[in-house]
């Protein structure tokens, strides 16, 4: 009966792509899309659904933008890539990096030369995974100007910064395959974050012959990518959903309990709840409208995470170049009301960049937030005073702007609340809400084609720098044309500082420099109100990307 309902409801409730961004509140996202030829006329994906006793059914608010690890830059793609591919290291159930495709890792005395010996592993086309696949993939990211090539700089890999700055070629990156089983990586200096960073999808291998055979089609369909991880992507029907199937050739296949996973793209939370009630799905995120109804259910749980939701200002616009205007807009929003009334899902107001309980100082083990405090708190009257001062400075009596938001339910409700708060508390301001699909929001952000935008960020690794270096001049995550020499200098110093305490203080100073004039407007630290079937065990949600881990999931 359950299988019949699954088929019926997919046909009935399948919807178009939506979502947010980094830290998306979908199961297949962290954090921030054409129909495949296998799609049936009515959108029914039942023919491609995985069946079996060890199968779970999930929902995602967004489609997969790409499965090319060189270009992936959102939580949906990161989660999929993490479950169908594997790199040198993988985060375990306790979020600790452990050897994966690498079976041995030796480090030179000075901490700069890392030698990896690869285990016997194979791609889904039967070819072995070799050290050459890693060298090719890592250098290719610079050839195609992948979104996350900056992670190689963060990892301190030799010549990564020079390549990004155009002072060296990708061939000069400090990675060499000495033979099929031996990969040697040279760093500019010792880096305590190195093994943690290697769990990030940008460091995944790619099979050169296959990538070049696929050309521009690489990573755009289920049959246009190879797999070497716990699962393979059995099908992918764009804007509708995808299915994972256990990879029998995975080197650690004995640790994988599931036969497969069905993921449905579901835009409306009401639709997801209907699927939940008919037992067609096993885990969903619910909105504030449903929290009170399910709060006492054994399936309910609040999951507080390190992802943040904030607003970017387009720094090219004259009115957003004024610090008092930015401060007024940030201060005029009742963030307590937004989280407790509008969201009602456990999310916490945020008055900073780095979230709470994410990072602790190396010397005193104090929370980053305890050390740096909160920024720009004040009353509606205080916001009005800043607003009037800012308008006077730019010679204006008010202005209108568009607030871009992805068409995720929580984000749309948040945008409506923000519009009401600003128009109520700041006389002369008019806000137009511009709702767009998830991928469109990402593209408009990257092109800085917006006035203000509700954005999200989930950490790429467990260190404050994952939030702080977003804002360096021309950085790929900047996306608002903010540029400040002093800020850039603080970040650059922190990246090469070997004294942990000094490095931590530099990051504290960088956050303070950014937020003293509110170059962004923090909104809240995310929590998700989740319903999960009690018989689903072993789902791991990492604090940093890639977020969701299905390798150890089991169905009791």
């Amino acid at each position: 009966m359950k299988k019949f309902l699954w088929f019926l409801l997919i046909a009935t409730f399948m919807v178009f792509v939506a979502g947010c961004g980094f830290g998306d509140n979908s199961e297949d996202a962290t954090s921030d899309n054409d129909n495949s030829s296998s799609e049936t006329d009515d959108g029914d994906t039942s023919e491609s659904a995985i069946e079996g006793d060890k199968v779970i059914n999930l929902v995602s608010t967004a489609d997969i933008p790409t499965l090319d690890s060189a270009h992936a830059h959102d939580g949906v793609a990161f989660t999929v890539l993490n479950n169908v591919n594997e790199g040198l290291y993988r985060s375990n159930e306790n979020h600790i990096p452990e050897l994966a495709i690498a079976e041995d890792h030796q480090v030179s005395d000075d901490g700069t030369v890392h030698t990896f010996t690869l285990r016997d592993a194979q791609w889904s086309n039967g070819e072995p995974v070799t050290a050459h696949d890693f060298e090719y993939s890592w250098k290719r990211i610079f050839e195609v100007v992948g979104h996350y090539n900056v992670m190689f700089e963060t990892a301190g890999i030799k010549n990564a910064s020079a390549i990004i700055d155009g002072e060296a070629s990708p061939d000069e990156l400090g990675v060499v395959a000495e033979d099929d089983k031996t990969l040697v990586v040279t760093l500019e200096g010792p880096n305590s974050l190195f093994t943690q960073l290697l769990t990030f999808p940008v460091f995944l291998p790619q099979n050169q012959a296959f990538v070049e055979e696929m050309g521009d089609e690489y990573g755009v369909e289920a049959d246009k990518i190879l797999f070497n991880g716990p699962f393979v992507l059995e099908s992918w029907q764009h804007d509708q959903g995808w299915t994972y199937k256990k990879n029998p050739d995975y080197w650690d296949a004995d640790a994988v309990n599931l036969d497969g996973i069905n993921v449905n793209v579901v835009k409306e939370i009401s639709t997801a709840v209907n699927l939940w009630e008919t037992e067609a799905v096993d885990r969903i995120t619910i909105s504030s409208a449903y929290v009170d109804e399910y709060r006492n259910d054994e399936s309910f749980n609040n999951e507080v995470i390190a992802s943040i939701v904030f607003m970017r200002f387009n720094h090219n616009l004259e009115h957003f170049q004024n610090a008092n205007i930015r401060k007024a807009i940030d201060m005029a929003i009742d963030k307590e009301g937004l989280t407790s009334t509008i969201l009602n899902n456990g999310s916490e107001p945020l008055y900073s960049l780095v979230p709470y309980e994410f990072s602790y100082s190396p010397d005193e083990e104090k929370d980053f937030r305890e050390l740096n405090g909160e920024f720009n708190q004040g009353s509606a009257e205080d916001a009005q005073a800043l607003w009037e001062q800012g308008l006077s400075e730019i010679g204006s009596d008010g202005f209108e702007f568009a607030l871009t938001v992805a068409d995720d339910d929580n984000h749309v409700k948040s945008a409506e609340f923000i519009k009401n708060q600003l128009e109520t508390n700041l006389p002369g301001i008019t806000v137009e809400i511009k709702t767009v699909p998830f991928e469109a929001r990402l593209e408009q952000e990257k092109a800085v084609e917006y006035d203000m935008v509700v954005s999200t960020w989930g950490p790429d690794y467990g260190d404050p720098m994952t939030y702080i270096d977003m804002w360096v001049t021309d950085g790929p995550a900047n996306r608002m044309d903010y540029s400040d020499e002093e800020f850039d200098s603080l970040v650059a110093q922190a990246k090469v500082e070997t004294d942990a305490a000094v490095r931590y203080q530099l990051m504290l100073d960088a956050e303070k420099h950014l937020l003293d004039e509110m170059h962004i407007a923090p909104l809240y630290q995310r929590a998700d109100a989740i319903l999960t079937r009690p018989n689903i065990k072993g789902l791991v949600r990492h604090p940093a990307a890639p977020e969701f881990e299905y390798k150890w999931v089991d169905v009791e």
Side-chain angles (χ1 to χ4, degrees):
M1 180 64 177
K2 183 175 180 178
K3 184 174 77 173
F4 171 77
L5 285 169
W6 170 250
F7 290 172
L8 175 63
L9 283 161
I10 291 178
T12 305
F13 291 113
M14 191 62 67
V15 293
F16 292 99
V17 62
C20 36
F22 299 98
D24 194 323
N25 68 351
S26 66
E27 186 60 39
D28 256 294
T30 20
S31 85
D32 297 21
N33 309 344
D34 7 358
N35 293 326
S36 72
S37 58
S38 61
E39 179 186 348
T40 58
D41 290 343
D42 63 358
D44 187 352
T45 61
S46 61
E47 291 183 4
S48 60
I50 300 293
E51 303 176 42
D53 294 332
K54 298 283 189 176
V55 172
I56 61 173
N57 302 312
L58 305 176
V59 296
S60 173
T61 58
D63 193 13
I64 310 165
T66 179
L67 284 178
D68 183 348
S69 57
H71 292 294
H73 57 86
D74 70 287
V76 179
F78 290 160
T79 286
V80 178
L81 284 165
N82 183 54
N83 286 284
V84 300
N85 284 135
E86 188 162 88
L88 299 169
Y89 273 81
R90 183 179 208 91
S91 292
N92 65 18
E93 298 97 319
N94 298 313
H95 321 304
I96 305 300
E98 63 181 13
L99 291 169
I101 295 299
E103 65 177 1
D104 185 65
H105 176 191
Q106 299 296 321
V107 186
S108 63
D109 291 341
D110 66 358
T112 62
V113 180
H114 295 250
T115 303
F116 300 90
T117 302
L118 274 57
R119 67 176 75 249
D120 291 333
Q122 69 180 57
W123 292 106
S124 50
N125 65 354
E127 294 185 6
V129 178
T130 72
H132 302 285
D133 297 328
F134 285 93
E135 180 181 359
Y136 167 73
S137 176
W138 294 11
K139 290 180 176 178
R140 174 177 175 263
I141 287 170
F142 294 92
E143 296 280 3
V144 300
V145 194
H147 180 85
Y148 267 98
N149 59 17
V150 68
M151 290 290 281
F152 291 82
E153 181 180 47
T154 302
I157 297 178
K158 186 176 180 179
N159 291 328
S161 295
I163 298 168
I164 291 172
D165 293 339
E167 299 170 357
S169 71
D171 285 340
E172 296 176 83
L173 185 70
V175 54
V176 175
E178 290 194 342
D179 54 48
D180 285 352
K181 292 289 189 180
T182 309
L183 185 75
V184 178
V185 181
T186 304
L187 307 185
E188 301 281 2
N191 190 332
S192 61
L193 297 175
F194 184 55
T195 55
Q196 183 183 149
L197 292 171
L198 289 178
T199 67
F200 193 74
V202 75
F203 294 102
L204 290 169
Q206 292 179 342
N207 181 285
Q208 181 174 0
F210 185 85
V211 173
E212 292 178 349
E213 178 186 354
M214 293 299 105
D216 291 341
E217 295 296 301
Y218 178 71
V220 303
E221 304 288 351
D223 61 353
K224 299 295 192 296
I225 182 175
L226 295 180
F227 314 106
N228 73 329
F231 299 91
V232 300
L233 204 62
E234 181 75 358
S235 68
W236 175 13
Q237 299 187 31
H238 293 272
D239 297 339
Q240 296 190 21
W242 56 93
T243 59
Y244 302 89
K245 186 176 180 179
K246 180 177 177 177
N247 183 0
D249 299 320
Y250 176 52
W251 71 270
D252 198 23
D254 289 345
V256 181
N257 302 303
L258 292 178
D259 297 317
I261 305 166
N262 299 305
V263 182
N264 222 5
V265 175
V266 176
K267 176 179 178 178
E268 300 293 339
I269 290 179
S270 60
T271 302
V273 170
N274 286 334
L275 291 168
W276 171 268
E277 287 295 332
T278 55
E279 299 188 3
V281 295
D282 298 309
R283 179 178 162 98
I284 62 170
T285 301
I286 60 175
S287 64
S288 59
Y290 296 96
V291 168
D292 291 339
E293 178 181 350
Y294 289 99
R295 190 184 300 277
N296 296 321
D297 193 296
E298 66 172 336
S299 303
F300 178 83
N301 186 43
N302 273 125
E303 296 180 0
V304 180
I305 56 180
S307 294
I308 65 172
V309 178
F310 61 96
M311 295 190 297
R312 282 180 164 93
F313 298 96
N314 183 339
H315 280 59
N316 297 308
L317 302 179
E318 180 183 2
H319 40 272
F320 292 147
Q321 292 172 2
N322 183 277
N324 286 315
I325 294 291
R326 296 191 303 268
K327 289 179 182 179
I329 289 174
D330 173 77
M331 192 180 291
I333 300 167
D334 178 6
K335 299 174 186 179
E336 295 279 353
L338 173 60
T339 54
S340 64
T341 303
I342 304 302
L343 299 174
N344 189 30
N345 60 4
S347 295
E348 295 288 341
L350 187 66
Y351 303 91
S352 62
L353 173 63
V354 178
Y356 297 89
E357 298 181 359
F358 174 73
S359 174
Y360 298 85
S361 62
D363 49 355
E364 302 174 20
E365 296 187 351
K366 290 185 178 179
D367 192 320
F368 194 95
R369 285 275 50 81
E370 179 184 357
L371 292 170
N372 237 20
E374 297 178 328
F375 297 88
N376 204 48
Q377 290 183 285
S379 66
E381 291 74 20
D382 295 330
Q384 289 168 10
L386 289 166
W387 175 247
E388 291 170 2
Q389 183 177 347
L391 289 180
S392 175
E393 289 167 352
I394 66 173
S396 172
D397 58 3
F399 55 85
E400 178 179 353
F401 71 90
L403 177 60
T404 300
V405 61
D407 55 357
D408 165 78
D409 185 66
N410 281 340
H411 285 204
V412 171
K413 288 182 178 179
S414 296
E416 292 169 349
F417 179 82
I418 292 165
K419 170 182 168 68
N420 178 268
Q421 289 279 290
L422 296 182
E423 292 182 346
T424 298
N425 295 326
L426 303 180
I429 201 168
T430 302
V431 182
E432 173 196 359
I433 297 175
K434 182 181 177 183
T435 305
V436 299
F438 164 68
E439 186 174 280
R441 193 214 79 190
L442 292 179
E443 293 306 316
Q444 289 175 26
E445 278 187 3
K446 288 189 290 184
V448 197
E449 293 177 349
Y450 63 85
D451 297 341
M452 282 178 59
V453 59
V454 176
S455 192
T456 57
W457 189 261
D460 297 328
Y461 48 95
D463 184 83
M465 188 59 75
T466 190
Y467 298 97
I468 291 168
D469 72 355
M470 293 172 64
W471 313 109
V472 296
T473 301
D474 295 329
N478 187 306
R479 302 181 190 173
M480 60 181 190
D481 286 346
Y482 165 71
S483 179
D484 186 282
E485 289 185 5
E486 184 175 346
F487 179 85
D488 291 349
S489 176
L490 289 167
V491 173
Q493 292 176 62
K495 286 190 172 183
V496 299
E497 179 58 59
T498 57
D499 185 306
V502 174
R503 176 181 180 273
Y504 210 79
Q505 185 59 53
L506 287 166
M507 292 191 291
L508 290 164
D509 293 344
E511 185 198 51
K512 188 173 189 297
H513 190 82
L514 180 77
L515 291 185
D516 272 347
E517 295 192 340
M518 302 312 294
H519 287 286
I520 64 169
L523 293 173
Y524 58 91
Q525 180 174 347
R526 273 186 50 215
D528 289 336
I530 301 290
L531 298 177
T532 307
R533 303 290 173 198
N535 65 328
I536 306 299
K537 306 296 183 182
L539 174 64
V540 175
R541 188 172 192 175
H542 297 303
E547 192 172 7
F548 291 101
E549 189 83 59
Y550 304 137
K551 177 176 177 177
W552 301 286
V553 175
D554 201 357
V555 180
E556 294 184 349

